[in-house]
PDB file of all heavy atoms in Angstrom:
ATOM      1  N   ALA M   1      -6.799 -15.849   5.528  1.00 98.00           N
ATOM      2  CA  ALA M   1      -7.873 -16.626   4.821  1.00 98.00           C
ATOM      3  C   ALA M   1      -7.371 -18.069   4.516  1.00 98.00           C
ATOM      4  O   ALA M   1      -8.203 -19.025   4.642  1.00 98.00           O
ATOM      5  CB  ALA M   1      -8.160 -15.899   3.568  1.00 98.00           C
ATOM      6  N   ARG M   2      -6.190 -18.227   4.085  1.00 98.00           N
ATOM      7  CA  ARG M   2      -5.629 -19.520   3.699  1.00 98.00           C
ATOM      8  C   ARG M   2      -5.474 -20.426   4.945  1.00 98.00           C
ATOM      9  O   ARG M   2      -5.746 -21.682   4.880  1.00 98.00           O
ATOM     10  CB  ARG M   2      -4.250 -19.506   3.039  1.00 98.00           C
ATOM     11  CG  ARG M   2      -4.254 -18.885   1.700  1.00 98.00           C
ATOM     12  CD  ARG M   2      -2.965 -19.141   1.005  1.00 98.00           C
ATOM     13  NE  ARG M   2      -1.881 -18.561   1.685  1.00 98.00           N
ATOM     14  CZ  ARG M   2      -1.386 -17.260   1.521  1.00 98.00           C
ATOM     15  NH1 ARG M   2      -2.008 -16.379   0.685  1.00 98.00           N
ATOM     16  NH2 ARG M   2      -0.304 -16.852   2.147  1.00 98.00           N
ATOM     17  N   SER M   3      -5.217 -19.913   6.098  1.00 98.00           N
ATOM     18  CA  SER M   3      -4.997 -20.618   7.265  1.00 98.00           C
ATOM     19  C   SER M   3      -6.297 -20.990   7.991  1.00 98.00           C
ATOM     20  O   SER M   3      -6.268 -21.898   8.896  1.00 98.00           O
ATOM     21  CB  SER M   3      -4.107 -19.959   8.224  1.00 98.00           C
ATOM     22  OG  SER M   3      -4.651 -18.767   8.734  1.00 98.00           O
ATOM     23  N   GLY M   4      -7.386 -20.219   7.694  1.00 98.00           N
ATOM     24  CA  GLY M   4      -8.600 -20.487   8.542  1.00 98.00           C
ATOM     25  C   GLY M   4      -8.631 -19.908   9.918  1.00 98.00           C
ATOM     26  O   GLY M   4      -9.311 -20.215  10.737  1.00 98.00           O
ATOM     27  N   ALA M   5      -7.716 -18.898  10.177  1.00 98.00           N
ATOM     28  CA  ALA M   5      -7.639 -18.140  11.411  1.00 98.00           C
ATOM     29  C   ALA M   5      -8.928 -17.514  11.742  1.00 98.00           C
ATOM     30  O   ALA M   5      -9.720 -17.125  10.887  1.00 98.00           O
ATOM     31  CB  ALA M   5      -6.558 -17.070  11.402  1.00 98.00           C
ATOM     32  N   ARG M   6      -9.246 -17.543  13.033  1.00 98.00           N
ATOM     33  CA  ARG M   6     -10.497 -16.920  13.567  1.00 98.00           C
ATOM     34  C   ARG M   6     -10.250 -15.514  13.867  1.00 98.00           C
ATOM     35  O   ARG M   6     -11.321 -14.696  14.023  1.00 98.00           O
ATOM     36  CB  ARG M   6     -10.935 -17.674  14.792  1.00 98.00           C
ATOM     37  CG  ARG M   6     -11.335 -19.133  14.459  1.00 98.00           C
ATOM     38  CD  ARG M   6     -11.596 -19.909  15.724  1.00 98.00           C
ATOM     39  NE  ARG M   6     -12.709 -19.280  16.489  1.00 98.00           N
ATOM     40  CZ  ARG M   6     -13.070 -19.706  17.701  1.00 98.00           C
ATOM     41  NH1 ARG M   6     -12.420 -20.677  18.236  1.00 98.00           N
ATOM     42  NH2 ARG M   6     -14.067 -19.039  18.403  1.00 98.00           N
ATOM     43  N   LEU M   7      -9.030 -14.982  14.012  1.00 98.00           N
ATOM     44  CA  LEU M   7      -8.787 -13.541  14.262  1.00 98.00           C
ATOM     45  C   LEU M   7      -7.362 -13.283  13.712  1.00 98.00           C
ATOM     46  O   LEU M   7      -6.430 -14.018  13.982  1.00 98.00           O
ATOM     47  CB  LEU M   7      -8.825 -13.250  15.764  1.00 98.00           C
ATOM     48  CG  LEU M   7      -8.399 -11.874  16.134  1.00 98.00           C
ATOM     49  CD1 LEU M   7      -9.529 -10.878  15.753  1.00 98.00           C
ATOM     50  CD2 LEU M   7      -8.262 -11.742  17.688  1.00 98.00           C
ATOM     51  N   LEU M   8      -7.284 -12.111  12.994  1.00 99.00           N
ATOM     52  CA  LEU M   8      -6.040 -11.660  12.545  1.00 99.00           C
ATOM     53  C   LEU M   8      -5.698 -10.378  13.307  1.00 99.00           C
ATOM     54  O   LEU M   8      -6.464  -9.424  13.374  1.00 99.00           O
ATOM     55  CB  LEU M   8      -6.153 -11.243  11.064  1.00 99.00           C
ATOM     56  CG  LEU M   8      -4.908 -10.476  10.410  1.00 99.00           C
ATOM     57  CD1 LEU M   8      -3.613 -11.269  10.622  1.00 99.00           C
ATOM     58  CD2 LEU M   8      -5.161 -10.141   8.985  1.00 99.00           C
ATOM     59  N   VAL M   9      -4.568 -10.380  13.991  1.00 99.00           N
ATOM     60  CA  VAL M   9      -4.056  -9.173  14.677  1.00 99.00           C
ATOM     61  C   VAL M   9      -2.900  -8.695  13.819  1.00 99.00           C
ATOM     62  O   VAL M   9      -1.814  -9.364  13.700  1.00 99.00           O
ATOM     63  CB  VAL M   9      -3.621  -9.506  16.158  1.00 99.00           C
ATOM     64  CG1 VAL M   9      -3.164  -8.299  16.823  1.00 99.00           C
ATOM     65  CG2 VAL M   9      -4.749 -10.210  16.924  1.00 99.00           C
ATOM     66  N   LEU M  10      -3.054  -7.437  13.304  1.00 98.00           N
ATOM     67  CA  LEU M  10      -2.081  -6.883  12.437  1.00 98.00           C
ATOM     68  C   LEU M  10      -1.004  -6.097  13.332  1.00 98.00           C
ATOM     69  O   LEU M  10      -1.373  -5.260  14.071  1.00 98.00           O
ATOM     70  CB  LEU M  10      -2.794  -5.945  11.475  1.00 98.00           C
ATOM     71  CG  LEU M  10      -2.102  -5.721  10.132  1.00 98.00           C
ATOM     72  CD1 LEU M  10      -1.925  -6.899   9.281  1.00 98.00           C
ATOM     73  CD2 LEU M  10      -2.888  -4.639   9.364  1.00 98.00           C
ATOM     74  N   THR M  11       0.224  -6.484  13.105  1.00 98.00           N
ATOM     75  CA  THR M  11       1.305  -5.905  13.902  1.00 98.00           C
ATOM     76  C   THR M  11       2.433  -5.424  12.986  1.00 98.00           C
ATOM     77  O   THR M  11       2.363  -5.333  11.839  1.00 98.00           O
ATOM     78  CB  THR M  11       1.691  -6.829  15.049  1.00 98.00           C
ATOM     79  OG1 THR M  11       2.487  -6.153  16.095  1.00 98.00           O
ATOM     80  CG2 THR M  11       2.461  -8.093  14.485  1.00 98.00           C
ATOM     81  N   HIS M  12       3.638  -5.044  13.676  1.00 98.00           N
ATOM     82  CA  HIS M  12       4.735  -4.459  13.010  1.00 98.00           C
ATOM     83  C   HIS M  12       4.242  -3.214  12.319  1.00 98.00           C
ATOM     84  O   HIS M  12       4.602  -3.004  11.104  1.00 98.00           O
ATOM     85  CB  HIS M  12       5.396  -5.507  12.074  1.00 98.00           C
ATOM     86  CG  HIS M  12       6.806  -5.106  11.648  1.00 98.00           C
ATOM     87  ND1 HIS M  12       7.133  -4.354  10.555  1.00 98.00           N
ATOM     88  CD2 HIS M  12       8.030  -5.428  12.225  1.00 98.00           C
ATOM     89  CE1 HIS M  12       8.383  -4.281  10.502  1.00 98.00           C
ATOM     90  NE2 HIS M  12       8.952  -4.828  11.387  1.00 98.00           N
ATOM     91  N   LEU M  13       3.604  -2.289  13.009  1.00 98.00           N
ATOM     92  CA  LEU M  13       2.949  -1.180  12.392  1.00 98.00           C
ATOM     93  C   LEU M  13       3.891   0.061  12.318  1.00 98.00           C
ATOM     94  O   LEU M  13       4.343   0.537  13.363  1.00 98.00           O
ATOM     95  CB  LEU M  13       1.763  -0.863  13.230  1.00 98.00           C
ATOM     96  CG  LEU M  13       0.729  -1.949  13.332  1.00 98.00           C
ATOM     97  CD1 LEU M  13      -0.404  -1.594  14.374  1.00 98.00           C
ATOM     98  CD2 LEU M  13       0.163  -2.346  12.046  1.00 98.00           C
ATOM     99  N   ARG M  14       4.352   0.334  11.199  1.00 98.00           N
ATOM    100  CA  ARG M  14       5.323   1.462  11.008  1.00 98.00           C
ATOM    101  C   ARG M  14       4.568   2.824  11.251  1.00 98.00           C
ATOM    102  O   ARG M  14       3.504   3.064  10.681  1.00 98.00           O
ATOM    103  CB  ARG M  14       5.951   1.295   9.582  1.00 98.00           C
ATOM    104  CG  ARG M  14       6.845   0.230   9.485  1.00 98.00           C
ATOM    105  CD  ARG M  14       7.256  -0.155   8.020  1.00 98.00           C
ATOM    106  NE  ARG M  14       8.454  -0.931   8.012  1.00 98.00           N
ATOM    107  CZ  ARG M  14       9.028  -1.405   6.925  1.00 98.00           C
ATOM    108  NH1 ARG M  14       8.313  -1.268   5.808  1.00 98.00           N
ATOM    109  NH2 ARG M  14      10.125  -2.069   7.029  1.00 98.00           N
ATOM    110  N   SER M  15       5.241   3.665  12.046  1.00 97.00           N
ATOM    111  CA  SER M  15       4.568   4.795  12.535  1.00 97.00           C
ATOM    112  C   SER M  15       4.175   5.834  11.321  1.00 97.00           C
ATOM    113  O   SER M  15       3.222   6.660  11.461  1.00 97.00           O
ATOM    114  CB  SER M  15       5.384   5.542  13.573  1.00 97.00           C
ATOM    115  OG  SER M  15       6.640   5.972  12.976  1.00 97.00           O
ATOM    116  N   TRP M  16       4.926   5.765  10.254  1.00 97.00           N
ATOM    117  CA  TRP M  16       4.677   6.689   9.122  1.00 97.00           C
ATOM    118  C   TRP M  16       3.619   6.259   8.199  1.00 97.00           C
ATOM    119  O   TRP M  16       3.371   7.027   7.314  1.00 97.00           O
ATOM    120  CB  TRP M  16       6.015   6.853   8.447  1.00 97.00           C
ATOM    121  CG  TRP M  16       6.686   5.719   7.897  1.00 97.00           C
ATOM    122  CD1 TRP M  16       6.484   5.181   6.682  1.00 97.00           C
ATOM    123  CD2 TRP M  16       7.603   4.905   8.566  1.00 97.00           C
ATOM    124  NE1 TRP M  16       7.309   4.075   6.533  1.00 97.00           N
ATOM    125  CE2 TRP M  16       8.013   3.930   7.684  1.00 97.00           C
ATOM    126  CE3 TRP M  16       8.248   5.027   9.845  1.00 97.00           C
ATOM    127  CZ2 TRP M  16       8.970   2.885   8.078  1.00 97.00           C
ATOM    128  CZ3 TRP M  16       9.166   3.998  10.196  1.00 97.00           C
ATOM    129  CH2 TRP M  16       9.475   2.988   9.190  1.00 97.00           C
ATOM    130  N   LEU M  17       3.028   5.055   8.460  1.00 98.00           N
ATOM    131  CA  LEU M  17       1.972   4.604   7.496  1.00 98.00           C
ATOM    132  C   LEU M  17       0.620   4.803   8.053  1.00 98.00           C
ATOM    133  O   LEU M  17       0.463   5.070   9.293  1.00 98.00           O
ATOM    134  CB  LEU M  17       2.175   3.087   7.299  1.00 98.00           C
ATOM    135  CG  LEU M  17       3.499   2.577   6.600  1.00 98.00           C
ATOM    136  CD1 LEU M  17       3.527   1.095   6.495  1.00 98.00           C
ATOM    137  CD2 LEU M  17       3.597   3.256   5.192  1.00 98.00           C
ATOM    138  N   ASP M  18      -0.340   4.856   7.226  1.00 98.00           N
ATOM    139  CA  ASP M  18      -1.748   5.071   7.681  1.00 98.00           C
ATOM    140  C   ASP M  18      -2.255   3.663   8.156  1.00 98.00           C
ATOM    141  O   ASP M  18      -2.564   2.797   7.424  1.00 98.00           O
ATOM    142  CB  ASP M  18      -2.573   5.470   6.360  1.00 98.00           C
ATOM    143  CG  ASP M  18      -4.021   5.751   6.688  1.00 98.00           C
ATOM    144  OD1 ASP M  18      -4.572   5.215   7.651  1.00 98.00           O
ATOM    145  OD2 ASP M  18      -4.657   6.450   5.912  1.00 98.00           O
ATOM    146  N   HIS M  19      -2.426   3.610   9.448  1.00 98.00           N
ATOM    147  CA  HIS M  19      -2.785   2.272  10.015  1.00 98.00           C
ATOM    148  C   HIS M  19      -4.231   1.881   9.666  1.00 98.00           C
ATOM    149  O   HIS M  19      -4.546   0.725   9.569  1.00 98.00           O
ATOM    150  CB  HIS M  19      -2.629   2.303  11.539  1.00 98.00           C
ATOM    151  CG  HIS M  19      -1.223   2.464  11.905  1.00 98.00           C
ATOM    152  ND1 HIS M  19      -0.761   2.660  13.286  1.00 98.00           N
ATOM    153  CD2 HIS M  19       0.084   2.496  11.212  1.00 98.00           C
ATOM    154  CE1 HIS M  19       0.587   2.692  13.286  1.00 98.00           C
ATOM    155  NE2 HIS M  19       1.018   2.654  11.967  1.00 98.00           N
ATOM    156  N   GLY M  20      -5.038   2.904   9.551  1.00 98.00           N
ATOM    157  CA  GLY M  20      -6.418   2.561   9.145  1.00 98.00           C
ATOM    158  C   GLY M  20      -6.499   2.037   7.744  1.00 98.00           C
ATOM    159  O   GLY M  20      -7.286   1.081   7.470  1.00 98.00           O
ATOM    160  N   ARG M  21      -5.659   2.465   6.942  1.00 98.00           N
ATOM    161  CA  ARG M  21      -5.616   1.877   5.521  1.00 98.00           C
ATOM    162  C   ARG M  21      -4.982   0.473   5.570  1.00 98.00           C
ATOM    163  O   ARG M  21      -5.441  -0.411   4.858  1.00 98.00           O
ATOM    164  CB  ARG M  21      -4.756   2.806   4.654  1.00 98.00           C
ATOM    165  CG  ARG M  21      -4.689   2.340   3.170  1.00 98.00           C
ATOM    166  CD  ARG M  21      -3.825   3.221   2.321  1.00 98.00           C
ATOM    167  NE  ARG M  21      -3.389   2.545   1.058  1.00 98.00           N
ATOM    168  CZ  ARG M  21      -2.475   2.837   0.304  1.00 98.00           C
ATOM    169  NH1 ARG M  21      -1.567   3.731   0.779  1.00 98.00           N
ATOM    170  NH2 ARG M  21      -2.131   2.108  -0.783  1.00 98.00           N
ATOM    171  N   LEU M  22      -4.029   0.234   6.447  1.00 98.00           N
ATOM    172  CA  LEU M  22      -3.484  -1.135   6.627  1.00 98.00           C
ATOM    173  C   LEU M  22      -4.578  -2.030   7.057  1.00 98.00           C
ATOM    174  O   LEU M  22      -4.752  -3.221   6.498  1.00 98.00           O
ATOM    175  CB  LEU M  22      -2.396  -1.140   7.634  1.00 98.00           C
ATOM    176  CG  LEU M  22      -0.991  -0.486   7.258  1.00 98.00           C
ATOM    177  CD1 LEU M  22      -0.106  -0.364   8.460  1.00 98.00           C
ATOM    178  CD2 LEU M  22      -0.356  -1.260   6.139  1.00 98.00           C
ATOM    179  N   LEU M  23      -5.331  -1.512   8.028  1.00 98.00           N
ATOM    180  CA  LEU M  23      -6.577  -2.399   8.524  1.00 98.00           C
ATOM    181  C   LEU M  23      -7.566  -2.821   7.413  1.00 98.00           C
ATOM    182  O   LEU M  23      -7.976  -3.935   7.311  1.00 98.00           O
ATOM    183  CB  LEU M  23      -7.218  -1.740   9.716  1.00 98.00           C
ATOM    184  CG  LEU M  23      -8.381  -2.454  10.383  1.00 98.00           C
ATOM    185  CD1 LEU M  23      -7.899  -3.718  11.129  1.00 98.00           C
ATOM    186  CD2 LEU M  23      -9.085  -1.489  11.330  1.00 98.00           C
ATOM    187  N   ASP M  24      -7.876  -1.792   6.593  1.00 98.00           N
ATOM    188  CA  ASP M  24      -8.772  -1.925   5.542  1.00 98.00           C
ATOM    189  C   ASP M  24      -8.256  -2.951   4.562  1.00 98.00           C
ATOM    190  O   ASP M  24      -9.066  -3.836   4.043  1.00 98.00           O
ATOM    191  CB  ASP M  24      -9.131  -0.619   4.883  1.00 98.00           C
ATOM    192  CG  ASP M  24      -9.982   0.300   5.688  1.00 98.00           C
ATOM    193  OD1 ASP M  24     -10.529  -0.039   6.745  1.00 98.00           O
ATOM    194  OD2 ASP M  24      -9.995   1.554   5.479  1.00 98.00           O
ATOM    195  N   GLU M  25      -6.958  -2.776   4.187  1.00 98.00           N
ATOM    196  CA  GLU M  25      -6.433  -3.705   3.246  1.00 98.00           C
ATOM    197  C   GLU M  25      -6.443  -5.209   3.637  1.00 98.00           C
ATOM    198  O   GLU M  25      -6.794  -6.074   3.001  1.00 98.00           O
ATOM    199  CB  GLU M  25      -4.982  -3.341   2.782  1.00 98.00           C
ATOM    200  CG  GLU M  25      -4.359  -4.233   1.724  1.00 98.00           C
ATOM    201  CD  GLU M  25      -2.993  -3.598   1.200  1.00 98.00           C
ATOM    202  OE1 GLU M  25      -3.139  -2.580   0.493  1.00 98.00           O
ATOM    203  OE2 GLU M  25      -1.987  -4.255   1.540  1.00 98.00           O
ATOM    204  N   ALA M  26      -6.067  -5.435   4.962  1.00 98.00           N
ATOM    205  CA  ALA M  26      -6.011  -6.767   5.470  1.00 98.00           C
ATOM    206  C   ALA M  26      -7.388  -7.327   5.585  1.00 98.00           C
ATOM    207  O   ALA M  26      -7.699  -8.455   5.297  1.00 98.00           O
ATOM    208  CB  ALA M  26      -5.401  -6.797   6.886  1.00 98.00           C
TER     209      ALA M  26
END
């Protein structure tokens, strides 16, 4: 949001975390 990016690609995804929840938070 601060940078004005047009797309955020969320990476460094730890396998033991809920990736859907990470996506929702971002």
